[in-house]
Amino acid sequence: MRPLTSKLPQTGTTIFTIMSALAAEVGAINLSQGFPDYDCDPYLVELVDNAMKSGHNQYAPMAGVMALREQIAYKTEKLYGAIYNPDTEITITAGGTQAIFTAISAIIHPNDEVIIFEPAYDCYSPAIKLMGGVVKSLELEPPNYRIAWDMVKKLITNRTKMIILNSPHNPTATILHQQDIEALSALVKDQDIYILSDEVYEHLIYDGETHQSMARYPELQQRSFIVASFGKLCHATGWKIGYCLAPAHLMQEFRKIHQFMIFSVNTPAQYAIAEYLKNEQVYLGLPEFFQQKRDHFRNGIEQTRFKLLPCYGSYFQSVTYNDITDERDTDFAIRLAKEFGVATIPTSGFYSKGTNHHVLRFCFAKRQETLDKAVDRLMTV
């Protein structure tokens, strides 16, 4: 047979897989990949068990269990004042990544241009390329990683089809502010540009800040796919259940792809989450829950030679290490895991050019004893 021609010739194994595997190999504390090391609510597990015992074990409707879509519609209206029709504008997905891939697949045609902001979550660019699209990336820089909207304007051409946003942002823990929304609105006004808004960390926002969801702004809502994740909300990343919000005409195209990609999502878990969300404190209490972890971890890091970068949202904390070494972040991250027993993510993995700002990302969605143990090891660096 002839050699296979790769559709993603420059793509290798994700940095998340590499660092988690290294952590397991050397016995390091894994603060690299973004998942909790504590259990989800036992009541939620009980609800899944009840759903299975009640016979909810066959295919769910393609768009998702209606009870869950109705709870999402209620939550979205309560938090953002936006009304979505659960029948035509909400779809349950197999996690946030599938929703992102499906939205890009539904919109992007060969040679369409998509603007992304780097450091960027690593699934954006491959999905664009698989659809024949062209990635137009704008690099953001520490410590604040603010978007220079005048530079975004220069990237827009008559082939620009989509802008991908992520707030709260992975890996930098920055958020969009009101001035960002105003600049974005001015840029896309009277343009045929869609927005893919990755809002999987929507409830993990701190210090009294407001999550600037695209759902808050009618002029942006009408052109946006909004992606969210129950993995973050329910502390259950392994369930791989998320959802997408979009106006009916966009959701119609989204579902055309969705039905042939996975068709439907885990049925008993959907029924369980629908019941679980009836307690609004499940999501309203998340900012305080994670801010306590953030503050505790930041207080610990301040005792080390690492320098903290701002953290406004998500469950990630980035640091610089210029006072420690001039090694590349990938080399230093590997050495940290092997010699000091703490696994992190080097943020150059989020840049298409491998840009190295000497920044590492930690995940603080961990038990306090895990964070304390990691800080003790980092104090020896």
Side-chain angles (χ1 to χ4, degrees):
M1 295 178 66
R2 294 180 180 177
L4 176 67
T5 301
S6 174
K7 288 190 172 183
L8 295 171
Q10 307 303 317
T11 300
T13 305
T14 70
I15 190 65
F16 309 108
T17 300
I18 292 170
M19 294 309 298
S20 283
L22 179 61
E25 177 186 340
V26 302
I29 298 171
N30 191 354
L31 302 189
S32 58
Q33 198 168 359
F35 59 83
D37 70 343
Y38 47 84
D39 291 332
C40 63
D41 188 342
Y43 176 56
L44 181 57
V45 176
E46 180 183 335
L47 289 173
V48 176
D49 184 46
N50 291 341
M52 290 190 288
K53 289 177 178 176
S54 297
H56 298 302
N57 299 302
Q58 308 310 323
Y59 293 125
M62 181 267 286
V65 168
M66 180 55 75
L68 180 54
R69 285 185 275 156
E70 289 173 345
Q71 283 296 321
I72 292 168
Y74 171 80
K75 179 173 78 77
T76 305
E77 183 176 5
K78 176 183 178 65
L79 294 178
Y80 310 127
I83 297 176
Y84 283 89
N85 184 330
D87 187 42
T88 59
E89 298 181 318
I90 301 173
T91 299
I92 310 302
T93 62
T97 300
Q98 184 245 311
I100 290 166
F101 188 93
T102 305
I104 292 171
S105 301
I107 294 297
I108 301 306
H109 294 264
N111 299 316
D112 285 343
E113 295 176 353
V114 181
I115 296 173
I116 69 172
F117 302 97
E118 295 185 340
Y121 185 55
D122 64 353
C123 79
Y124 303 156
S125 182
I128 296 165
K129 293 175 181 178
L130 283 171
M131 297 306 118
V134 178
V135 179
K136 303 288 285 293
S137 60
L138 178 65
E139 289 197 3
L140 310 180
E141 297 184 352
N144 296 313
Y145 297 99
R146 304 303 306 159
I147 296 174
W149 291 101
D150 57 332
M151 297 301 295
V152 180
K153 185 175 182 178
K154 292 179 181 179
L155 290 178
I156 293 177
T157 72
N158 60 4
R159 294 196 299 173
T160 303
K161 194 68 168 287
M162 177 180 280
I163 297 174
I164 300 181
L165 298 167
N166 176 206
S167 179
H169 186 260
N170 176 15
T172 69
T174 55
I175 59 174
L176 293 175
H177 297 280
Q178 183 62 42
Q179 56 265 40
D180 295 304
I181 297 298
E182 293 170 0
L184 173 64
S185 298
L187 273 183
V188 300
K189 185 178 181 181
D190 300 324
Q191 300 255 27
D192 294 324
I193 298 176
Y194 298 98
I195 296 170
L196 174 52
S197 187
D198 180 352
E199 302 183 17
V200 299
Y201 298 100
E202 62 175 325
H203 300 298
L204 282 59
I205 196 161
Y206 313 126
D207 305 317
E209 293 284 355
T210 299
H211 172 51
Q212 299 294 343
S213 173
M214 296 302 108
R216 290 185 182 275
Y217 305 96
E219 71 277 11
L220 297 177
Q221 179 191 7
Q222 67 182 352
R223 64 174 75 229
S224 294
F225 295 92
I226 299 174
V227 173
S229 167
F230 290 116
K232 279 67 178 178
L233 191 158
C234 297
H235 315 292
T237 60
W239 291 11
K240 294 297 293 180
I241 300 179
Y243 60 92
C244 183
L245 308 171
H249 68 286
L250 296 182
M251 187 56 72
Q252 182 179 26
E253 297 305 311
F254 182 97
R255 289 180 179 177
K256 288 179 183 179
I257 308 294
H258 173 81
Q259 67 182 339
F260 296 118
M261 182 178 293
I262 62 160
F263 184 73
S264 64
V265 176
N266 185 296
T267 301
Q270 289 191 61
Y271 278 98
I273 295 172
E275 184 65 26
Y276 194 58
L277 290 182
K278 291 180 180 179
N279 176 8
E280 297 175 9
Q281 193 57 33
V282 162
Y283 49 88
L284 296 179
L286 284 177
E288 180 181 1
F289 175 81
F290 278 110
Q291 183 166 330
Q292 288 176 348
K293 290 186 177 296
R294 181 204 67 169
D295 293 348
H296 182 79
F297 186 60
R298 285 176 66 90
N299 288 338
I301 292 296
E302 285 180 338
Q303 303 173 51
T304 73
R305 298 170 65 197
F306 295 92
K307 301 300 181 184
L308 292 163
L309 295 181
C311 174
Y312 298 105
S314 80
Y315 46 43
F316 301 116
Q317 174 65 59
S318 291
V319 301
T320 59
Y321 57 86
N322 292 310
D323 294 343
I324 301 173
T325 178
D326 61 0
E327 293 171 87
R328 278 196 59 81
D329 60 358
T330 48
D331 296 332
F332 186 45
I334 291 171
R335 189 162 70 86
L336 265 184
K338 290 182 176 180
E339 297 182 11
F340 297 93
V342 179
T344 68
I345 293 290
T347 61
S348 62
F350 294 84
Y351 288 92
S352 57
K353 297 178 181 178
T355 304
N356 175 32
H357 289 294
H358 293 167
V359 174
L360 300 177
R361 188 201 78 175
F362 296 99
C363 173
F364 57 78
K366 310 294 180 180
R367 294 171 294 170
Q368 182 168 319
E369 53 265 39
T370 302
L371 297 175
D372 289 343
K373 189 175 181 180
V375 167
D376 287 343
R377 296 183 181 187
L378 294 171
M379 289 176 66
T380 66
V381 178

